[in-house]
Amino acid sequence: MPTPTTTVPFQAVLDAHGSALHRHLVGVLGPHDGADAYQETLLAALRAWPPRHDGNLRAWLFTVAHRKVIDHARARDRRPVPVGSVPEHGSSGGIGAGPDLDLWAVVRSLPDKQRAAVALRHGDDWSYADIAAVLGISEAAVRQNVTAGLDRLREVLT
Amino acid sequence: MSDALLAELTLGPPIEAGAHAAATASALARADREGLVEVALAHQDSPIGVLTLAATSAGLVRVGFPREHDTMADELAVELSPRVVELPKRLDRVRRQLDEYFAGRRRDFDLDVDLRLARGFRRTVLERLYEDVGYGQTRSYLELAAMAGSPRASRAVGSAMATNPVPIVVPCHRVLRTGGALGGYGGGLDVKRWLLALEGAGGQLPFDGSGGAQPSFEARSS
């Protein structure tokens, strides 16, 4: 049975979720790629607007964003990584909180699902169910990804 | 659980002040260039409160009084398209002309007006009003009915005024009861009186019934 398209004005979604979306993308991609992905997400969302979707428009918007994050993460992985920009191991060299060892830099080094799950669950207080909708996986799988991601953060940062 | 870690995650990443507004504006400007914005919105301060303005590619489609500030985007999403976005640039010309009008420096609007939200006879009435009833003039509902080609349709003219999607620019404030009583106004009678006074038409001008009322500069005739 077809879902009716929403009649919510795009501006309302932008007002409600734009700021959190931008912040999330800066968290998982850094300020520069995050801002790019944010703009790409708005364009893609507006092209697809109105979605055949009657329920969770936030999850719909972040699903669009998640694809952009994966594109950017792939592109980044293909670029040469400056030495020390992404810590591979729990180095306590330096004071431990230098610009290259900050928490979000480590979040960015996590695998796609862990990165998204940790950032949404703990960076933006999402429910496991909503994260599951964005990632297209079960809630149990979301929990596993959150746990694995946090374990990795602790391992690197402490 | 390492609560310091979770607390830091909860704070989120740092974002430069102004970066969000800039990124949003840039994305929406690009969306506009790609033709993705079907309804552009802007808000404009004025002596009668904050007006909400909306434009399609055909022109100014809606002027909302302050009480419509929070509901207009929803209405336009249903009536026109959900691709409604705040894009003040698309309304710069309208905003400038409204500023000039409210400052008493503009008598005629030189704007493309999109009357698609008015249908049939109501639209014909609004077209006649926009084109033929100038600054400082007034007409009665009956006269406007005659101008629109249906001399007995004064009630239909009344509903065309009550549902005018583009008030102020399409000057329904210039339409009064026969005899000069104010009649009604979507923005409130105080606003109607204020606009007539701004234009020098006075609030309660005796109406001469000739259909050719001239602009009057006696703001307070009695």
Side-chain angles (χ1 to χ4, degrees), chain B residues 60-111:
Chain B
L60 180 65
V61 75
R62 196 77 174 74
V63 172
F65 290 111
R67 65 180 168 79
E68 299 171 283
H69 183 278
D70 296 335
T71 53
M72 221 176 82
D74 290 344
E75 284 165 20
L76 293 171
V78 172
E79 291 168 0
L80 295 175
S81 160
R83 289 190 188 180
V84 180
V85 156
E86 279 181 24
L87 208 62
K89 250 195 161 38
R90 279 259 298 267
L91 288 138
D92 273 354
R93 188 180 161 89
V94 176
R95 294 160 70 207
R96 195 165 49 243
Q97 293 196 13
L98 280 169
D99 274 346
E100 291 165 357
Y101 170 79
F102 283 116
R105 287 186 280 112
R106 171 172 289 277
R107 296 169 59 94
D108 299 300
F109 292 102
D110 179 17
L111 297 170

Side-chain angles (χ1 to χ4, degrees), chain A residues 5-61:
Chain A
T5 55
T6 181
T7 54
V8 173
F10 188 75
Q11 184 65 44
V13 174
L14 193 50
D15 288 345
H17 308 303
S19 171
L21 173 66
H22 189 190
R23 186 168 284 280
H24 170 73
L25 291 171
V26 168
V28 297
L29 289 172
H32 184 267
D33 284 3
D36 281 355
Y38 169 68
Q39 297 196 27
E40 290 160 13
T41 300
L42 292 195
L43 281 161
L46 199 45
R47 274 185 210 111
W49 202 260
R52 290 202 167 277
H53 202 287
D54 55 356
N56 191 337
L57 293 172
R58 181 179 72 158
W60 179 86
L61 182 66

Side-chain angles (χ1 to χ4, degrees), chain B:
Chain B
M1 276 275 171
S2 163
D3 288 337
L5 178 72
L6 296 187
E8 199 181 340
L9 279 169
T10 303
L11 285 178
I15 290 197
E16 272 178 61
H20 178 61
T24 303
S26 162
L28 294 182
R30 206 172 128 196
D32 192 33
R33 287 196 296 278
E34 289 186 24
L36 295 172
V37 178
E38 292 187 23
V39 183
L41 282 185
H43 301 282
Q44 175 80 339
D45 207 1
S46 86
I48 60 169
V50 177
L51 302 174
T52 306
L53 311 171
T56 64
S57 58
L60 180 65
V61 75
R62 196 77 174 74
V63 172
F65 290 111
R67 65 180 168 79
E68 299 171 283
H69 183 278
D70 296 335
T71 53
M72 221 176 82
D74 290 344
E75 284 165 20
L76 293 171
V78 172
E79 291 168 0
L80 295 175
S81 160
R83 289 190 188 180
V84 180
V85 156
E86 279 181 24
L87 208 62
K89 250 195 161 38
R90 279 259 298 267
L91 288 138
D92 273 354
R93 188 180 161 89
V94 176
R95 294 160 70 207
R96 195 165 49 243
Q97 293 196 13
L98 280 169
D99 274 346
E100 291 165 357
Y101 170 79
F102 283 116
R105 287 186 280 112
R106 171 172 289 277
R107 296 169 59 94
D108 299 300
F109 292 102
D110 179 17
L111 297 170
D112 291 324
V113 175
D114 179 353
L115 284 175
R116 77 178 69 180
L117 290 171
R119 301 216 160 73
F121 182 66
R122 289 180 184 185
R123 179 170 178 154
T124 307
V125 170
L126 293 170
E127 284 166 354
R128 290 272 66 75
L129 177 61
Y130 184 52
E131 282 160 26
D132 297 338
V133 182
Y135 191 88
Q137 300 180 26
T138 57
R139 292 289 187 281
S140 70
Y141 294 96
L142 261 176
E143 285 181 303
L144 190 54
M147 288 167 66
S150 299
R152 284 194 297 277
S154 68
R155 286 184 63 174
V157 167
S159 49
M161 297 304 99
T163 56
N164 177 11
V166 196
I168 301 169
V169 172
V170 176
C172 56
H173 58 278
R174 296 175 191 154
V175 183
L176 309 174
R177 291 225 177 109
T178 304
L182 276 179
Y185 196 61
L189 286 182
D190 284 351
V191 169
K192 188 169 189 174
R193 211 173 280 120
W194 191 92
L195 292 170
L196 288 167
L198 170 73
E199 297 186 7
Q204 298 281 337
L205 279 183
F207 195 73
D208 68 9
S210 70
Q214 294 303 303
S216 160
F217 297 95
E218 301 162 36
R220 273 175 213 81
S221 92
S222 50

Side-chain angles (χ1 to χ4, degrees), chain A residues 32-117:
Chain A
H32 184 267
D33 284 3
D36 281 355
Y38 169 68
Q39 297 196 27
E40 290 160 13
T41 300
L42 292 195
L43 281 161
L46 199 45
R47 274 185 210 111
W49 202 260
R52 290 202 167 277
H53 202 287
D54 55 356
N56 191 337
L57 293 172
R58 181 179 72 158
W60 179 86
L61 182 66
F62 276 69
T63 304
V64 175
H66 185 60
R67 284 180 218 124
K68 303 297 175 192
V69 173
I70 290 175
D71 292 347
H72 275 272
R74 295 289 165 277
R76 184 194 58 198
D77 288 348
R78 286 192 297 271
R79 288 198 296 266
V81 178
V83 174
S85 72
V86 178
E88 284 301 318
H89 302 288
S91 151
S92 52
I95 313 299
D100 293 343
L101 244 182
D102 76 75
L103 169 66
W104 287 95
V106 185
V107 171
R108 274 162 226 151
S109 73
L110 296 173
D112 290 337
K113 289 191 174 69
Q114 289 181 24
R115 184 179 56 219

